[in-house]
Every structure is written in structure tokens, then in C-alpha cells.
Amino acid sequence: MDVFVIEGGRQLNGSIRINGSKNAALPLMAAALLTDEPLILSDVPNLSDIRNMTRLLTELGIESVSESSEHGQSITHRVTDPTQSHARYEIVRTMRASISTLGPLVAKRGSARVSLPGGCAIGQRPVDLHLRGLEALGAKITLDGGDIEATAPNGRLIGAPVFLGGPFGSTVLGTANIMSAATLAEGTTIIESAACEPEIVDLANMLNAMGAKISGAGSPRITIVGVESLGGTTHRVMPDRIEAGTYMCAAAVTGSELTLENCPLDAMMSAVDTLGHMGVHVDAVGSDADPMRRSCVISRAPEIKPVQITTQPHPGFPTDLQAQFMALLCLSNGNSVITEKIFPERFLHVAELCRMGAQIHRQGATAVVTGVKELTGAPVMASDLRASAGLVIAALAAKGTTIINRVYHIDRGYENLESKLAGVGASIRRADAEEFADSAMSH
Ligand code: EPU
């Protein structure tokens, strides 16, 4: 197992290119199940989650050919065996986003068997809304041996009104699933309380380019007029707003001036606004026409000011940036309050940050962060993807050496994180955990 070894306190300088978005790419890849024609995606990040989705699609009879292109990794998907419809536990347990294949499978192939994802480090994560949505479209759903079995009677789903509001707001992958499935249903589907995340807009844009009739994506009400079939298309995945936000925090925590390229600023208003309140500036440069692919320069005032953050569905503050902002606020000049309204248990980074000298008091879904003058390097444990990114942010500013164990969590969502950061002057390297066995064991 690999670890990251980070010497804190280096200034960053230069430019980082933001990759295509993991969370946009996964349901876009699953949409390859909806067509008999080739689906070509470019700017697909090279990540373990993407490779797991490719493995799953291979089992579901989709051949994927990857090559490098003008816009990063390009993957061409082609159907080779339309009779497969079983997403096995062995793959689903490695990646919850496997559930995104359920809607496309039942819509196109008439039935699906997808292992029910279990809980994960950030909470319970049920899929009841996905299932209720598919039932509203006429699917018959049963649970057998830990697998969800979904069948469209007479082979085709039927358009219907679908309400996707749950106790924590809407569901992003649930909206992707139902919207994708409804493209091939008979009649019109209206999704009420749909997720408004930009990744849903990216998916709707691609499905429309394939011949779907979707309107309203990006708002809480999406209307889908079902069509008989979808064609292929070529689509460039939107840039990753969470990767961009993470590097914004890296620049801010080290007090550096850093340029980000291919940054989806238009999808990042709440994060950029929050940074502004903290005294961190995000200045768009150039006159690029596309507000989703801007270059911007990050810089900051001498002190980081404390703020209040509540995570919310888009366009509110994203839960996927909560840990990184918490790490940054550890070095602010006052008390910050962070409330997690999407995944109330998503605080695994708190104890690790405290090992580095942070002062954080958690009560339920709220954490109070009292800024300290300095963090100190320590051996720490990566737990989930974004919690681990928060530890990297803290380590970049900490005095001394931080060893982050279990970096496979980071590899799920950040392509070449260490070479991107090292390329702008950070002292970070990947090493074999054996080299640091003592610090890993003592932890
Ligand atoms: N929920 C339900 N029932 C459902 C589905 C969700 O109660 O059927 C609840 C969840 O437990 C949670 C809330 O609704 O409290 C929102 O969950 P959502 O379904 O929106 O999450 P998701 O679609 O499974 C995606 C991202 C997550 C991101 C969340 C929230 C992907 C692959 N994953 O998950 O990303 O945190 O939306 O924005 O798109 C990450 O990248 O690190 C990550 C965890």
C-alpha cells in the first residue's frame, strides 16, 4: 500500500490543469448502455473509479477502448453483448456509483440485476429514492441475495411523475438514473425535486445529443419525453469542480499564487464566494467564452478569516469540499462553524486533523473549528476520498513531515495528485508503506 510523504510549508507557484469530472464521467459512461451505437467520451480522468466502471461495463457487454486525445483520456464504448444485465457485488462493493447502471439497464434491456451497494465511510447511503423512481416508471423491483432485481413489464418503462425529494434533499445519482431511464420510456416523465448539480446538466446535454428529449436539467423539475431509441455521440466531460476547489484550498493554505486551467467557475459560485469571505481571491483570467472552462488565479490576504459553512445540494456549498475547507479553516484567525447537511457522519477527517494540532469540536453534524497559528506534521490515516484530500491540504501547510496512509482513497478521485502538486513546488512524494511501517503501525 502506498503512502504520501509531505513536507509542509512550501510555497506553490505555477499552473495546474483541472481534469474532467469523475462524478460527471461515471453516469456518462453508464449511458453507453442506452444505445447500440458508439459513445465516445473525452477528458475522462484516469482514476481507479473510472477503471472500475470500465470493468463493470465490460461485464455488461460494453467494450471500452481508451486512448489519449487532445482533451485527455478518450474512451470509446461499443456494445458487444446486449444480453448481459448483472452488476455483481464484487465490482459494486468497490464503487457505489455502479448503481448508475441500474436505470440504463432496465430501460434498454428490460431487466437488470444490480448488487445493492452497502454503507460506506461517509454514512449509510441508501438507494431507496432510485428504486422508488424506477417503480414510478413501472419497474417491478425485488431484492434477492443482496441484489436488486428490476424488470420492465412488457420490456419498456412508462413515463410518469417522479418525486425524488428525500430527508437530505434530492439525490444526484438517483436523478441521473431516473433521467437516463426515462429517455427510453414510453411517454413523458417529470422529475420533481431533481438534483440541480452541474453533472446532471452535463449528462442531460449528452443524452440530448444522443437524441433524448430532456428539458429543465439544472432546475428542480426535469421533463423527459421518451423516445424509441438513442444514437451515439462524442462528448467532452465537464471539468471537475471538486478537484478545482481542492487546488484552490491548496493555494490558499500555503498563501501562494496559483493558476488553475480548465476550471468550471460557473459551477463553483458558493465555494468561490466562501473563499472570498475568507480573504482568498479567485480571479478569472482571459476572456474565454466558456464559463465552465476558465483559467483563474488564486491568491489571498495575509490572514485567513473564519466563516460559517453549511453543506447543501447545488447551488449550495458542496459536501465534497467540506473536508478541504475545514483543513484550511484550521489556520484561520478565529472560530468557524461547519454544518454537514448531506452526509451528517462525514467527519472522519476531524480526528486526523486534530492529530496535526487542529482544534476542532464536533457535536453531531456540526464542527466548530478554532483557528491555530500552526499545524504540525504527523502520521495520519486517509479514510474516504475527500477526507484524505483535506489531510493533504493540512499537510501542505504543516510544519514538518506528514505521512498519509492508505492513499488509495485519494487515487479514486484525484489523477496524479502528487505530480500535479510537486509540479508547482510542493514537497510531496508517493512511497511504499513498508518504508514507514513504524509510523503506520503506531497509528
Ligand atoms: N439519499 C437517500 N436515498 C437515496 C439516495 C440518497 O436518502 O436513495 C440521501 C443520501 O444518504 C444523502 C443524500 O441523500 O444523505 C444525498 O445523496 P446523493 O444520492 O445525492 O449522493 P450520491 O448521488 O450517491 C453523489 C456523489 C458524491 C457526493 C453526493 C452529494 C457521485 C459518484 N457521487 O453521490 O460524491 O458527495 O452526490 O453531492 O456522483 C465523492 O466524490 O467523494 C462523493 C462522495
Side-chain angles (χ1 to χ4, degrees), residues 99-439:
I99 191 74
S100 322
T101 58
L102 180 64
L105 277 174
V106 70
K108 174 77 174 150
R109 300 185 179 176
S111 70
R113 189 177 177 101
V114 176
S115 178
L116 186 66
C120 75
I122 65 176
Q124 200 186 356
R125 303 190 73 182
V127 293
D128 55 315
L129 296 170
H130 300 234
L131 304 186
R132 287 216 315 254
L134 285 173
E135 273 174 342
L137 300 185
K140 294 274 167 283
I141 300 201
T142 52
L143 192 65
D144 179 37
D147 290 344
I148 303 158
E149 278 199 321
T151 313
N154 308 320
R156 195 168 177 198
L157 296 171
I158 316 264
V162 177
F163 183 71
L164 282 185
F168 300 100
S170 188
T171 161
V172 181
L173 289 179
T175 301
N177 237 335
I178 305 308
M179 183 173 80
S180 298
T183 58
L184 292 179
E186 190 181 335
T188 298
T189 297
I190 293 174
I191 305 179
E192 192 68 277
S193 196
C196 302
E197 268 63 9
E199 292 76 15
I200 296 296
V201 178
D202 203 33
L203 176 61
N205 288 342
M206 187 187 80
L207 291 169
N208 281 341
M210 294 165 73
K213 293 189 178 156
I214 303 172
S215 55
S219 81
R221 172 180 279 221
I222 303 179
T223 304
I224 306 116
V225 179
V227 295
E228 292 281 333
S229 66
L230 295 177
T233 194
T234 299
H235 180 81
R236 183 174 171 192
V237 180
M238 68 168 277
D240 195 318
R241 62 195 170 102
I242 306 304
E243 188 194 23
T246 303
Y247 289 123
M248 286 177 184
C249 291
V253 82
T254 51
S256 309
E257 197 172 289
L258 191 68
T259 301
L260 301 183
E261 293 160 34
N262 197 38
C263 187
L265 281 185
D266 205 40
M268 299 184 66
M269 289 200 191
S270 78
V272 169
D273 183 66
T274 306
L275 285 170
H277 290 299
M278 295 162 76
V280 179
H281 315 293
V282 178
D283 296 307
V285 289
S287 53
D288 322 31
D290 187 348
M292 287 291 277
R293 296 183 189 280
R294 297 301 298 264
S295 290
C296 59
V297 176
I298 321 302
S299 60
R300 77 154 221 238
E303 298 218 304
I304 300 168
K305 293 195 209 119
V307 288
Q308 295 205 15
I309 293 176
T310 300
T311 65
Q312 279 167 341
H314 191 79
F317 189 92
T319 172
D320 290 344
L321 283 176
Q322 183 253 107
Q324 300 89 317
F325 273 66
M326 183 183 288
L328 185 53
L329 288 169
C330 287
L331 290 167
S332 79
N333 64 358
N335 292 319
S336 301
V337 180
I338 299 180
T339 303
E340 177 54 70
K341 291 246 175 157
I342 308 292
F343 296 112
E345 300 299 320
R346 195 177 204 177
F347 285 111
L348 288 171
H349 41 289
V350 169
E352 304 299 306
L353 289 171
C354 289
R355 287 177 53 75
M356 300 176 72
Q359 278 190 26
I360 306 169
H361 299 282
R362 179 188 163 194
Q363 212 159 48
T366 294
V368 177
V369 184
T370 302
V372 294
K373 286 262 169 297
E374 177 175 274
L375 295 172
T376 45
V380 289
M381 196 67 83
S383 50
D384 88 274
L385 168 56
R386 308 304 174 185
S388 321
L391 297 179
V392 172
I393 303 299
L396 289 174
K399 191 171 166 219
T401 308
T402 298
I403 295 158
I404 304 183
N405 291 283
R406 300 193 182 166
V407 299
Y408 61 86
H409 287 291
I410 297 181
D411 295 335
R412 285 188 40 226
Y414 292 90
E415 180 178 336
N416 294 335
L417 177 120
E418 73 274 29
S419 51
K420 282 189 175 183
L421 284 173
V424 293
S427 170
I428 175 169
R429 71 181 172 93
R430 186 182 287 263
D432 194 317
E434 289 292 305
E435 215 183 302
F436 298 91
D438 290 346
S439 55

Side-chain angles (χ1 to χ4, degrees), residues 3-70:
V3 301
F4 279 157
V5 184
I6 302 175
E7 297 282 342
R10 303 280 173 93
Q11 286 270 307
L12 310 182
N13 187 355
S15 178
I16 289 180
R17 182 188 177 276
I18 302 305
N19 281 109
S21 157
K22 164 183 87 79
N23 288 350
L26 292 167
L28 291 172
M29 291 169 78
L33 291 161
L34 289 167
T35 173
D36 298 325
E37 293 177 22
L39 174 65
I40 303 169
L41 296 175
S42 68
D43 226 344
V44 183
N46 193 355
L47 302 168
S48 54
D49 270 13
I50 298 292
R51 288 188 288 276
N52 281 329
M53 181 58 100
T54 301
R55 267 175 60 214
L56 176 56
L57 289 177
T58 306
E59 290 207 1
L60 294 172
I62 305 276
E63 173 198 79
S64 305
V65 178
S66 159
E67 56 198 339
S68 54
S69 72
E70 183 196 354

